[in-house]
Amino acid sequence: MTTAHNTTSPQYPFTAVVGMDDLRLALLLNAVSPAVGGVLVRGEKGTAKSTAVRALSALMPAVDVVGGCRFACAPTAPDPGCPDGPHGTGPVEHRPTRMVELPVGASEDRLVGALDIERALSEGVKAFEPGLLADAHRGILYVDEVNLLHDHLVDLLLDAAAMGASYVEREGVSVRHAARFLLVGTMNPEEGELRPQLLDRFGLTVEVAASREPDQRVEVVRRRLAYDADPAGFAARWAGDEDELRGRIAEARELLPRVTLGDRALRQIAATCAAFEVDGMRADIVMARTATALAAWAGRTDVAEEDVRQAALLALPHRRRRNPFDAPGLDEDKLDETLEEFRGPDEDPAPGTDGDDDPDPDGPDGGGPGGGDGPEGGHPPQEGGPEEAPLPPETGLPHQQDGETPPTPQAPEQPEPEPRPQGGAAGEKPAVGATEPFRTRRLDVPGLGEGADGRRSRARTAHGRTTGARRPRGALGKLHLAATVQAAAPHQKARGRRGTGLVVRRDDLREAVREGREGNLVLFVVDASGSMAARKRMSAVKGAVLSLLLDAYQRRDKIGMITFRGSGADLALPPTSSVEAGAARLAQLPTGGRTPLSEGLLKAHEVLRIERMRDPSRRALLVVVTDGRATGAPGAGRAAGGPLARASRAARLLAADGTAAVVVDCEAGPVRLGLAGELARDLQGTAITLDELRADSVSALVRTVQGTRTTHGNRKAA
């Protein structure tokens, strides 16, 4: 839907936002130069990410559009391919810049627009209803929770962002219109990461977190309560600051074409991107545009080293991720070394980069790292600080918060010697590191599902290969042209057909039934008991689970993790889309104690029961990582009431619910009991060893070859 903030209550003023200097700076730079490429805002919930983004639209300069054009064509340079064109010398409308919000659950037609297929078939008319991409042309496209956006919508966004146009294709009928917009997204990393292709399309990224400074938190609450009590009065009190900031944006836009990006700055940009090994050339271009916008915002016509440094801190962190377990970040010491190496012989150091200068963070040129220590424990930098007064709102160039690269969730290798039991739980041993992850075999859910688009199990989806046709259920989806013509053909004479057009009724329309792949809920049940506690063995197990987590990320799954040890089982990670959270829990997992296998399975049964109520269409895959042993009192072994008997009953309970299951057999040594295989039979699932889990394992290759030979043999016999 197109946001129309001014038709109800006034929008919360941008200048009234407390702290969040990096976010405000990134948004303002895009207001000065939309060519920067948008902003991705990452941060915990409740940090006013959406409030700040929505407030930006009121600061953007108004635009002139051709009167009556649904695609916001500029009067001076209308789109020659505009569906509403050609445009003559009609009236010109002067209107505010639009901010269009894309809901996470939007349909494809809502995003790109819809064609009236019935009129196209019967009348040959391209009746096109514009979508959100048309509304956002020459404006802002805002996606809240962008990391939860469906894959097919992400693909459409990527195409539009790359080409500056949107194409709608429906069974040979094609419509194209311009779609150039400022892309702004907000997300909570705990709910999962973005695909690398979409991540790279955002020019800048910023991390936000709630301030830990009491005075600043008090001011946030005070302003919000004042706004809620009297939105119009609150907006009026900040109108002067808004006008001043709006004027400064206009001045920076006017100055921007005169800013010079010298060879020295270009070499520093290229050297920085090369030093941090970013992929492609987009990072260099974004850094150049950002540094130029920073100079214009500061009122300068030359790009300085401080502009290059600030541009790197905003444009590079999200482009350095090599796998989904990496957190965005930038080593500022390395950045300073690179800038110094390519500094001209007569160039003075950038303020704040060598410790000799003490720049004023509140000044218009304060683009250095600012005061304060770096974040602790890998948390994002905090907005503001003890030395930063919350009043008045800062409208100059905000300073950059100092921060270190957050640690990756992947468990590091622990140094020798062998860990010894520690106090607390009996026999508990500290966490050990995981072996290197590897590419795993695809584990999928049997049958045909109807869940969310993904890359794991077979399912009826909106995208994929066409397998049949059916009458539309509600609004027409993908038209099945042949089936529609076949349904309409017998009635042409009775309908009095004249000429070449096909007389089509609503009842004739057929939509395509497609088969693709869905994402599943992959629930890991990991044995962390004493029987798994041998150092090398547990490292291998953690490496296997880490590999499965990476596979789940690539296949668009939700994941959850249950661990069992000692006297019970814990839900270490509730079902989520964040594989980083799963890797972090795995890295911290200690081992030792008894093996309450039945408790782990019963906990899995309870979690899956709740998830089926929350999302009935998402099928689950249970992955049990264990050697199959079970210990505990009362009873012993397979005796009635013993731990193995209880585990068997719990497994059969899961099987009765139709839960697809895989048991990763971690048993090692020359003597094997085969308990994991028995557990898999009770679960009516499959048992595979750690070696067989690898996609490139010899045993998997042998099975493939044998299967191929058997198939050829059967064909010859037939």
Side-chain angles (χ1 to χ4, degrees):
M1 53 184 258
T2 302
T3 304
H5 298 297
N6 296 328
T7 60
T8 53
S9 60
Q11 177 64 47
Y12 192 93
F14 187 87
T15 51
V17 174
V18 180
M20 296 198 298
D21 296 337
D22 289 345
L23 171 57
R24 290 188 294 153
L25 174 61
L27 292 173
L28 290 171
L29 291 177
N30 276 274
V32 171
S33 175
V36 166
V39 186
L40 174 65
V41 187
R42 297 164 45 92
E44 59 194 30
K45 53 186 176 294
T47 49
K49 300 186 296 293
S50 300
T51 298
V53 171
R54 292 189 177 104
L56 176 68
S57 60
L59 300 176
M60 299 290 286
V63 295
D64 291 332
V65 300
V66 174
C69 178
R70 297 173 297 169
F71 302 88
C73 281
T76 55
D79 179 13
C82 176
D84 284 353
H87 299 299
T89 56
V92 175
E93 295 180 9
H94 190 70
R95 72 181 188 198
T97 297
R98 285 178 176 173
M99 173 172 283
V100 178
E101 296 190 30
L102 172 61
V104 170
S107 65
E108 180 177 331
D109 284 348
R110 186 71 190 96
L111 178 62
V112 300
L115 281 167
D116 189 335
I117 297 297
E118 187 174 351
R119 291 189 63 191
L121 290 176
S122 59
E123 304 175 26
V125 176
K126 293 183 180 180
F128 179 66
E129 183 65 28
L132 296 177
L133 290 180
D135 292 341
H137 179 48
R138 302 178 66 202
I140 303 170
L141 182 62
Y142 172 46
V143 189
D144 193 13
E145 306 292 351
V146 63
N147 51 324
L148 303 182
L149 202 63
H150 290 302
D151 275 3
H152 67 285
L153 297 182
V154 170
D155 293 336
L156 294 170
L157 274 182
L158 288 173
D159 290 341
M163 297 182 294
S166 174
Y167 291 84
V168 184
E169 302 278 352
R170 294 290 188 275
E171 304 298 337
V173 181
S174 176
V175 173
R176 173 216 166 270
H177 65 82
R180 289 181 293 276
F181 46 82
L182 177 62
L183 182 62
V184 181
T186 55
M187 59 173 283
N188 183 351
E190 294 178 356
E191 297 173 337
E193 282 291 350
L194 277 176
R195 286 172 54 181
Q197 296 92 332
L198 183 57
L199 191 64
D200 190 50
R201 287 294 175 184
F202 287 97
L204 311 178
T205 185
V206 292
E207 299 272 348
V208 297
S211 173
R212 301 299 183 257
E213 171 58 36
D215 290 342
Q216 195 171 66
R217 295 176 73 97
V218 166
E219 188 59 30
V220 170
V221 175
R222 180 182 292 120
R223 293 185 188 181
R224 186 68 212 191
L225 293 178
Y227 172 78
D228 291 341
D230 182 12
F234 185 84
R237 288 194 295 275
W238 290 89
D241 295 296
E242 291 283 287
D243 289 340
E244 181 181 347
L245 186 57
R246 194 177 294 110
R248 185 174 175 187
I249 292 173
E251 292 174 0
R253 278 195 167 199
E254 186 177 350
L255 180 62
L256 184 66
R258 303 199 299 272
V259 175
T260 302
L261 183 65
D263 289 342
R264 177 193 55 80
L266 274 173
R267 287 183 62 82
Q268 286 184 319
I269 289 170
T272 300
C273 292
F276 286 101
E277 300 179 347
V278 296
D279 295 332
M281 295 297 299
R282 184 175 286 115
D284 303 64
I285 297 172
V286 171
M287 270 191 66
R289 290 171 174 168
T290 304
T292 304
L294 280 163
W297 179 247
R300 290 184 271 100
T301 56
D302 291 313
V303 173
E305 181 178 319
E306 63 202 69
D307 301 322
V308 176
R309 187 180 194 278
Q310 182 71 63
L313 293 173
L314 292 172
L316 295 188
H318 63 299
R319 292 184 165 90
R320 297 201 62 242
R321 297 184 70 207
R322 288 295 179 265
N323 65 64
F325 303 139
D326 290 340
L330 207 65
D331 185 340
E332 295 194 33
D333 291 337
K334 182 177 179 180
L335 172 61
D336 292 336
E337 291 173 3
T338 304
L339 294 176
E340 183 177 0
E341 180 181 354
F342 286 86
R343 182 184 299 142
D346 300 326
E347 184 73 19
D348 292 331
T353 58
D354 61 357
D356 295 333
D357 296 311
D358 186 16
D360 179 10
D362 296 324
D365 297 334
D373 295 331
E376 297 180 359
H379 294 292
Q382 307 296 325
E383 300 100 349
E387 62 277 358
E388 178 182 338
L391 287 172
E394 189 175 310
T395 57
L397 181 65
H399 64 274
Q400 169 68 30
Q401 305 288 343
D402 192 12
E404 300 293 331
T405 303
T408 63
Q410 182 172 338
E413 281 293 334
Q414 301 293 326
E416 299 293 341
E418 193 78 18
R420 296 181 179 179
Q422 308 218 334
E428 179 176 314
K429 296 186 178 183
V432 298
T435 58
E436 285 295 320
F438 51 84
R439 190 167 64 91
T440 67
R441 293 171 50 189
R442 188 178 70 206
L443 309 175
D444 53 16
V445 179
L448 194 63
E450 294 184 350
D453 286 353
R455 297 183 178 180
R456 184 171 297 278
S457 305
R458 293 176 55 231
R460 294 187 181 92
T461 60
H463 304 82
R465 63 186 183 91
T466 300
T467 59
R470 67 184 178 192
R471 292 181 182 274
R473 300 175 181 176
L476 177 66
K478 298 287 186 179
L479 178 75
H480 195 297
L481 182 59
T484 298
V485 173
Q486 188 176 8
H491 307 291
Q492 296 304 296
K493 185 175 182 180
R495 294 172 181 172
R497 174 185 172 185
R498 298 282 192 275
T500 58
L502 189 67
V503 182
V504 179
R505 300 285 187 261
R506 180 70 184 175
D507 290 343
D508 300 329
L509 298 179
R510 298 291 185 270
E511 67 180 4
V513 176
R514 296 172 180 258
E515 182 179 314
R517 292 200 173 270
E518 66 179 0
N520 298 113
L521 167 60
V522 182
L523 182 61
F524 295 95
V525 181
V526 182
D527 185 348
S529 65
S531 66
M532 303 283 288
R535 179 179 179 80
K536 292 183 179 179
R537 187 176 177 195
M538 196 60 201
S539 293
V541 169
K542 284 190 174 184
V545 177
L546 203 62
S547 304
L548 289 167
L549 285 172
L550 179 59
D551 181 69
Y553 166 80
Q554 294 169 339
R555 300 191 187 281
R556 312 292 184 260
D557 294 318
K558 290 180 67 176
I559 62 166
M561 185 181 298
I562 293 170
T563 62
F564 59 93
R565 55 183 291 274
S567 59
D570 295 316
L571 180 58
L573 180 68
T576 176
S577 297
S578 175
V579 295
E580 296 91 334
R585 300 295 193 280
L586 187 68
Q588 300 163 5
L589 180 64
T591 57
R594 292 178 175 176
T595 312
L597 177 57
S598 59
E599 281 76 3
L601 297 175
L602 290 174
K603 174 67 77 172
H605 181 267
E606 178 65 15
V607 170
L608 293 177
R609 182 185 66 82
I610 295 173
E611 287 301 310
R612 276 193 292 269
M613 292 189 291
R614 290 176 176 169
D615 189 357
S617 64
R618 187 180 288 270
R619 297 188 295 165
L621 175 64
L622 182 68
V623 179
V624 185
V625 185
T626 181
D627 56 10
R629 290 181 171 84
T631 58
R638 305 176 191 277
L644 285 176
R646 293 199 304 272
S648 179
R649 287 196 298 271
R652 290 195 296 270
L653 184 63
L654 285 160
D657 288 340
T659 304
V662 174
V663 178
V664 180
D665 185 359
C666 303
E667 190 173 24
V671 179
R672 296 174 181 258
L673 302 179
L675 296 176
E678 294 182 13
L679 176 62
R681 286 191 290 273
D682 288 334
L683 287 167
Q684 296 182 15
T686 304
I688 59 175
T689 65
L690 286 174
D691 288 338
E692 291 173 335
L693 185 61
R694 293 178 178 269
D696 55 353
S697 66
V698 175
S699 56
L701 177 62
V702 170
R703 278 200 308 276
T704 302
V705 172
Q706 289 177 340
T708 304
R709 289 176 177 173
T710 302
T711 302
H712 287 317
N714 291 339
R715 288 177 180 172
K716 290 180 179 179

